[in-house]
Amino acid sequence: MVRARRTLAILLALASGVPGTAFAQAIAGIVRDASGAVLPDVTVEAKSAALMERVRTAASDGSGQYRIEGLRPGVYTITFTREGFRPYVQAGVEISSAFTAGINAQLEPGPVAESITVTAAPPALDVSSAAAATTLPGDIVRTLPTVRSYNSLVVLIPGVATRANDIVMGTTTTAFPIHGGRANEGRLTLDGLTVGGPAVGNSATSYVVDAGTTEEVTVTSAGGLGETETGGLIVNLVPKTGGNTTHGSFFFSGTGENLDSSNLTPDLKALGVTAPSPLRKVYDVSGTLGGPIARDRLWYFVTAHRGGSTTDSTNVYYNLNAGDATKWLYAPDLSRRAYSDRLFENASARVTWQMTPRNKISLLWDEQALCRTCTGATSAGIDPPSVSPEAVGVFGRPMRVTQATWSASLSNRLLVDAGYGGAHFGWGNFEREPNPSRDLIRTVEQCASGCAANGGIPGLVYRSQDFSDAYNGSYLWKGSLSYVTGSHSFKVGYQHTLMTQDAIWTTNTQNLTYRFNNGAPNQLTESISPWVNHWRTGWDAVFAQERWTRGRLTAQGAVRFDRARSWFPEQREGPSRFLPVPIVIPETTGVDSYKDITPRVGVSYDLFGDGSTAVKVHVGRYLDGAGTSGIYLSTNPTLRMPQTTTWTGPSGVTRAWNDTNVNFVPDCDLLNPNAQDLRAGGGDLCGVVSNTNFGQNVLTNNFDPAILNGWGVRPSEWTLDVSIQRQIGPKASVTLAYSRRWFQGFNVADNLALQPSDLTPFSVVAPLDPRLPGGGGYVVSDLYDVAPDQAGQVSNLITAARNHGRWYQYVNGIDATLNLRARGVTVIGGTSTAQSVVDNCDVRAHLPELDTTVTGASPLDVGLATFMVSPVSPYCHVALGLQTQFRGLASYDVPAIGVQLSATFQSKPGAILAANYAVPNAAVTPSLGRDLSGNASNVTVNLLAPGTRYGDRINELDVRMAKILRLGRSRTTLALDVYNALNSSAGLTYNSAFVPSAPWPRPNTILTPRFFRITLETEF
């Protein structure tokens, strides 16, 4: 029976799977006798209240080495025993995630009844791993002036880039690439199981988890072995599981408009910012309770949370003309500023069961609701940067996260674990109920040369909302088997992920969007609404990894095999205005399939043999994260059909429009894709549509089969990390690290309907303006316009960029960090300096119609910064220069008076600026030798090469002052937080439209002004 049970356990482990990461907290070391000779067969016990089974056991091997893996974070007592020797006991050993504590022992001859007990000074360095990891204990997270969400912590890690440049008010979907990596490389894991969003390559989503109620948060930035799919940052939250004593907490934190300041400066007013971004309110209320159902056998931990925020817009107001079908202009109601609001609600329960001394099961159910009752104009991340409240849907979505894990110690050397994790949630903006804008045409103001007659905000969208009914699912399995001895450990595992995404995109009942220039129509968009998209992506992986320790050297190696594919269930489009005959698309295969073998190798060398200095080197190949994104998404037939709009909305095309009779109705046949000039008969001038096959059951985006399957085809990267770590005190260390990343696997769209001769080169002259480099007046060349008789002709072949030339991208970076945890003092942080270079000029030279915004083509990007290369955007070489950031946190306890002080700080480069100038047709004609094709009235050209100008440097200092009160077994903390203590007014995002007579660069958002926040937390 025992043999059958063990066999079943191994089979279950190897038949499970999911993207997990090795957070192998462990204790390891060497046992010697008094003469210095190694001692084999010494029994080593690790005992802690953090372990439900209380104690874990191992034995030293022939080299005197031992290792105990898979320990929970906590404080341990380590006991070494062997017949004929006095037991050696080391107490107070602190174990954290992704860290191996080196504990050596020297046993002296003597009776077993007599023991030697010492109190450990926890090691500051992990000299037995090439990985780079930082651990934030839960009690440190609770001291910080943050909202205690994952996205408020990743912004404190040197080298990370995020779009969360403002003060973090709550959980939002946050990408966090590090050292110039891909946007989808970061991973958020809960107890080692990924909680991700399919639409963002399974990187982090808007999952709400209070980091302050976790045991600890571990951030791994380099050195991942076989369990890792991507090469980015991994944030692992180690949850609390209960315990043998009942304990809990109550937390409240909040602020209001009477506790904030103003940072609206004269310079901002001159740039068109009419008001700062003050908070109306921010609040968090939560409670936890955990304890035993049965001591040492069954524990529980439950949480409940409600929190939210409301922030006013800087320059957008409610529209006085909203809902009025007879009004076409935006009329701001200066007494009602637009605002965004968020509401987070969740309740979770975790149960941990020690079935037998060697078998444990853990179950989690977390039910969440985001913006269940929100009313503001809250962006879902896919909305335009400037939008009037009537044109935004409701940012509301449910979310459910479930987990089940099983771990077993089949022996002191053989470990098994398996797990399942699932997440299902809505995304995007849902339709408002009621929706009075359903029958109104959505409108955007281009503001090419000023728009005082229509609100004065370039790019403003108003009048009618677009919305979606969209849901994601990510379902994960994992299983692994580990064999651990003192000098080496070996691990094999299997992982599987299934990701689903279903979306219905809808616009107004007219299926139209107008573009105005100072209130006058000059372009329209025809859409097929509703537009249905269904995606499925799945991947499997197996890996094997091993670690060897020989003297001072620890070597690690791993090899991983991945297989990824995508497919699309049956989809039905139409009937609708521009698709009168419905189309049924049968189930279709997309990527089928990518197969990759990725090696990873690392070494760590204890330079002086005393654990004080470690030199680490790691090199490995990693993959672009699979998801319902990238090529897994763009191979969907519904995205390959004739359209030129983005995939996050109804399928559509654009065409020029001159509303000659000023009736705001396009008086031409919109079902006719060709240009029409009906002005002589009282009609309008309508240009050719941007894709003349629009509304037909044909594919104008086709894929080279060679990029949809095979070995080594999937986008990937190589990473090299070299670091030296030095212990400078009992609990303090510094690290100097160099990293290099280089990327492969770029795709381009080759429009087979065009020949190079079909594109006419031209140039434009930048206006004379002191805000432009050199005062303006320079020439922007290498621009192209398609020949008029070829306008709207699209037959794209998505193929490997290497078929047309060289495309390269790499990043070099140096980090210097400090980790100090002396008595009552914690300082974690440092600086990161990096340079990113990306270039596809060789490709553009051979493919002048190159457009990196075409669905299926690779973007030209660095981290989260994306640069468009197109016939009218020639910036194919981007070298951003050395960019330096400083990030960190500090905490200081004054126990004598029960006071706690803490702070967080960020200093990072501002946004890369653009100057998108709408060049009139008349200014283009002399260089082009004709009018712009498609009857276009202007063409938008960025006058700034990327990296020429940056927005304000973003410096944010947040501080906390807290008083701690103790009464019996309870502890109460009353704190005052000061956010943006320096009251910086740095611009965060900018309107990129350049109008010579208007303010530029005009901030869309600025750093939230200084405000005070009161926090009360009671723990018992």
Side-chain angles (χ1 to χ4, degrees):
M1 178 62 72
V2 173
R3 179 177 298 175
R5 185 183 304 158
R6 290 184 177 179
T7 302
L8 177 61
I10 294 173
L11 291 175
L12 285 172
L14 296 178
S16 307
V18 97
T21 298
F23 299 100
Q25 47 272 16
I27 296 173
I30 300 177
V31 187
R32 303 178 185 272
D33 63 16
S35 69
V38 298
L39 276 179
D41 302 320
V42 176
T43 300
V44 185
E45 293 184 339
K47 187 175 183 180
S48 174
L51 295 174
M52 184 176 281
E53 66 269 38
R54 290 293 186 174
V55 64
R56 293 280 304 278
T57 304
S60 60
D61 61 16
S63 65
Q65 298 183 75
Y66 75 93
R67 186 177 183 91
I68 305 176
E69 290 191 350
L71 300 175
R72 294 283 304 177
V75 179
Y76 285 76
T77 298
I78 315 301
T79 304
F80 301 82
T81 59
R82 182 179 171 178
E83 186 68 29
F85 291 85
R86 297 166 64 186
Y88 181 90
V89 181
Q90 192 149 356
V93 178
E94 296 180 16
I95 300 297
S96 61
S97 295
F99 186 85
T100 299
I103 306 296
N104 299 323
Q106 181 175 298
L107 272 59
E108 299 180 359
V112 175
E114 299 179 7
S115 63
I116 300 174
T117 302
V118 299
T119 300
L125 299 184
D126 180 355
V127 298
S128 63
S129 172
T134 300
T135 297
L136 300 175
D139 58 348
I140 295 298
V141 174
R142 289 192 290 275
T143 70
L144 300 177
T146 69
V147 294
R148 312 200 315 192
S149 61
Y150 81 87
N151 52 308
S152 69
L153 298 177
V154 295
V155 299
L156 304 177
I157 305 300
V160 168
T162 74
R163 291 191 177 96
N165 290 322
D166 201 359
I167 298 169
V168 178
M169 308 298 179
T171 302
T172 58
T173 300
T174 303
F176 44 87
I178 189 169
H179 299 142
R182 290 185 168 103
N184 63 359
E185 69 177 14
R187 291 293 181 266
L188 173 67
T189 65
L190 180 64
D191 207 20
L193 290 165
T194 300
V195 181
V200 285
N202 218 29
S203 61
T205 183
S206 56
Y207 178 53
V208 178
V209 57
D210 186 344
T213 64
T214 61
E215 290 286 356
E216 61 186 29
V217 180
T218 299
V219 180
T220 304
S221 56
L225 291 176
E227 293 170 281
T228 307
E229 176 195 15
T230 64
L233 197 74
I234 301 170
V235 180
N236 184 52
L237 304 169
V238 180
K240 291 184 176 180
T241 58
N244 279 328
T245 59
T246 301
H247 56 92
S249 67
F250 171 79
F251 175 83
F252 169 79
S253 182
T255 187
E257 53 189 342
N258 293 325
L259 294 176
D260 65 1
S261 308
S262 174
N263 58 356
L264 183 62
T265 65
D267 288 342
L268 287 174
K269 291 181 179 179
L271 288 172
V273 179
T274 58
S277 302
L279 295 168
R280 294 191 191 177
K281 63 180 179 182
V282 176
Y283 69 95
D284 265 299
V285 181
S286 64
T288 69
L289 185 66
I293 299 174
R295 290 180 60 84
D296 296 329
R297 293 296 301 274
L298 192 61
W299 293 349
Y300 73 93
F301 191 78
V302 297
T303 69
H305 169 260
R306 179 184 172 96
S309 64
T310 303
T311 307
D312 285 334
S313 170
T314 57
N315 56 8
V316 177
Y317 295 82
Y318 275 80
N319 184 6
L320 289 170
N321 292 333
D324 189 340
T326 66
K327 301 293 179 60
W328 290 94
L329 301 182
Y330 168 75
D333 182 351
L334 299 181
S335 67
R336 297 181 65 202
R337 265 206 287 173
Y339 66 91
S340 66
D341 57 347
R342 291 178 180 269
L343 173 65
F344 308 92
E345 300 169 295
N346 74 291
S348 70
R350 180 180 291 273
V351 176
T352 306
W353 178 27
Q354 190 76 41
M355 299 170 56
T356 71
R358 290 184 176 272
N359 289 272
K360 186 188 324 184
I361 287 178
S362 180
L363 303 174
L364 168 71
W365 190 286
D366 194 345
E367 202 75 24
Q368 305 200 351
L370 174 58
C371 264
R372 184 171 54 87
T373 59
C374 290
T375 58
T378 304
S379 171
I382 57 176
D383 298 292
S386 298
V387 57
S388 186
E390 78 276 9
V392 182
V394 177
F395 186 51
R397 62 182 74 169
M399 186 173 195
R400 175 177 297 157
V401 173
T402 54
Q403 289 186 349
T405 60
W406 166 61
S407 60
S409 301
L410 302 185
S411 71
N412 290 342
R413 294 186 173 184
L414 196 60
L415 309 176
V416 172
D417 74 83
Y420 161 81
H424 182 265
F425 56 96
W427 70 288
N429 273 341
F430 295 86
E431 184 177 17
R432 291 184 182 273
E433 296 292 346
N435 178 11
S437 71
R438 260 274 191 162
D439 298 328
L440 304 182
I441 296 173
R442 188 173 174 92
T443 305
V444 56
E445 171 55 56
Q446 183 187 25
C447 201
S449 55
C451 49
N454 195 23
I457 304 175
L460 178 69
V461 176
Y462 63 99
R463 210 167 184 270
S464 179
Q465 63 179 271
D466 286 353
F467 53 90
S468 64
D469 187 9
Y471 292 88
N472 282 337
S474 182
Y475 309 99
L476 326 165
W477 296 261
K478 76 170 183 178
S480 65
L481 177 67
S482 302
Y483 179 77
V484 182
T485 69
S487 59
H488 84 279
S489 61
F490 179 73
K491 187 173 188 177
V492 294
Y494 170 69
Q495 302 174 350
H496 174 76
T497 300
L498 169 66
M499 286 169 278
T500 67
Q501 181 169 304
D502 299 288
I504 302 175
W505 310 98
T506 308
T507 188
N508 55 80
T509 57
Q510 305 296 311
N511 288 194
L512 291 173
T513 299
Y514 289 172
R515 189 183 76 181
F516 287 179
N517 184 20
N518 199 23
N522 68 358
Q523 182 178 281
L524 62 83
T525 300
E526 303 174 11
S527 299
I528 300 173
S529 173
W531 188 251
V532 177
N533 298 142
H534 298 308
W535 296 276
R536 302 291 183 268
T537 298
W539 62 260
D540 302 88
V542 293
F543 66 89
Q545 62 188 43
E546 188 158 7
R547 175 198 53 82
W548 305 267
T549 299
R550 295 291 183 270
R552 301 181 187 180
L553 180 70
T554 297
Q556 299 169 306
V559 62
R560 175 185 173 99
F561 168 75
D562 281 84
R563 178 179 181 270
R565 59 185 293 260
S566 66
W567 67 100
F568 317 103
E570 179 181 290
Q571 300 164 97
R572 179 186 176 94
E573 309 294 356
S576 63
R577 179 177 181 180
F578 296 108
L579 187 64
V581 179
I583 298 173
V584 177
I585 304 167
E587 180 172 319
T588 309
T589 298
V591 173
D592 187 28
S593 59
Y594 289 148
K595 293 168 280 289
D596 291 270
I597 294 178
T598 51
R600 296 92 186 260
V601 177
V603 295
S604 178
Y605 185 69
D606 185 354
L607 194 60
F608 302 114
D610 58 1
S612 66
T613 307
V615 177
K616 303 182 178 184
V617 179
H618 173 267
V619 63
R621 180 173 179 257
Y622 297 89
L623 301 173
D624 186 25
T628 55
S629 57
I631 198 168
Y632 306 94
L633 170 142
S634 58
T635 45
N636 190 334
T638 61
L639 299 186
R640 298 165 58 189
M641 298 175 72
Q643 56 190 298
T644 53
T645 51
T646 64
W647 70 270
T648 52
S651 172
V653 291
T654 60
R655 68 193 310 167
W657 170 39
N658 186 335
D659 185 23
T660 307
N661 53 22
V662 198
N663 64 353
F664 297 99
V665 175
D667 294 309
C668 49
D669 181 6
L670 296 183
L671 292 176
N672 181 350
N674 299 312
Q676 304 160 57
D677 188 352
L678 307 179
R679 289 175 291 183
D684 292 338
L685 172 65
C686 292
V688 62
V689 300
S690 52
N691 190 321
T692 55
N693 291 307
F694 180 64
Q696 301 179 40
N697 188 8
V698 297
L699 301 180
T700 54
N701 260 21
N702 293 291
F703 285 79
D704 182 349
I707 67 171
L708 297 182
N709 65 81
W711 292 85
V713 176
R714 182 174 170 182
S716 62
E717 64 165 296
W718 282 91
T719 296
L720 170 67
D721 298 290
V722 181
S723 65
I724 182 168
Q725 293 180 291
R726 173 67 182 174
Q727 183 169 336
I728 58 175
K731 297 183 180 181
S733 65
V734 293
T735 301
L736 181 65
Y738 165 78
S739 64
R740 178 178 173 86
R741 308 178 72 178
W742 55 105
F743 304 87
Q744 302 93 28
F746 305 104
N747 296 324
V748 297
D750 179 6
N751 189 351
L752 301 179
L754 299 179
Q755 298 297 319
S757 59
D758 293 325
L759 290 107
T760 308
F762 70 97
S763 60
V764 300
V765 178
L768 294 172
D769 193 301
R771 298 169 298 178
L772 295 175
Y778 52 88
V779 176
V780 179
S781 57
D782 294 326
L783 308 175
Y784 297 93
D785 184 62
V786 66
D789 60 346
Q790 295 296 317
Q793 302 300 308
V794 180
S795 179
N796 286 325
L797 175 66
I798 313 300
T799 186
R802 63 177 178 271
N803 294 333
H804 295 277
R806 187 184 180 205
W807 183 328
Y808 62 88
Q809 181 175 343
Y810 62 86
V811 183
N812 291 305
I814 295 179
D815 293 356
T817 56
L818 169 68
N819 193 321
L820 169 64
R821 303 187 190 190
R823 178 175 297 181
V825 178
T826 298
V827 179
I828 300 174
T831 179
S832 179
T833 300
Q835 181 181 41
S836 300
V837 176
V838 56
D839 183 295
N840 64 5
C841 293
D842 189 34
V843 176
R844 190 174 191 261
H846 293 87
L847 204 67
E849 74 269 26
L850 176 68
D851 188 339
T852 57
T853 66
V854 172
T855 300
S858 299
L860 192 80
D861 59 1
V862 174
L864 298 176
T866 300
F867 315 101
M868 182 176 71
V869 176
S870 73
V872 292
S873 182
Y875 307 113
C876 54
H877 178 85
V878 177
L880 297 180
L882 294 176
Q883 300 292 305
T884 299
Q885 55 176 246
F886 302 88
R887 302 175 188 259
L889 60 93
S891 176
Y892 176 53
D893 290 341
V894 189
I897 57 175
V899 170
Q900 194 175 72
L901 306 174
S902 62
T904 63
F905 178 69
Q906 304 175 57
S907 178
K908 52 197 173 186
I912 299 172
L913 296 180
N916 293 332
Y917 177 48
V919 188
N921 178 61
V924 173
T925 300
S927 172
L928 185 61
R930 57 173 171 78
D931 289 338
L932 289 165
S933 66
N935 304 106
S937 59
N938 56 61
V939 59
T940 300
V941 176
N942 182 8
L943 302 177
L944 292 181
T948 302
R949 290 278 302 275
Y950 289 84
D952 300 326
R953 188 170 182 88
I954 303 168
N955 298 307
E956 181 187 337
L957 172 66
D958 305 327
V959 300
R960 166 176 285 191
M961 297 158 283
K963 174 64 178 175
I964 301 172
L965 305 173
R966 300 181 185 273
L967 180 61
R969 295 176 56 193
S970 69
R971 164 183 161 138
T972 298
T973 302
L974 181 63
L976 178 66
D977 297 345
V978 185
Y979 290 83
N980 189 13
L982 304 177
N983 205 29
S984 167
S985 58
L988 304 179
T989 61
Y990 295 83
N991 195 314
S992 59
F994 179 84
V995 179
S997 60
W1000 179 87
R1002 181 175 182 171
N1004 284 327
T1005 58
I1006 62 174
L1007 194 62
T1008 298
R1010 178 176 54 229
F1011 68 92
F1012 299 85
R1013 180 169 174 169
I1014 298 172
T1015 298
L1016 173 68
E1017 183 172 26
T1018 298
E1019 301 168 272
F1020 58 89

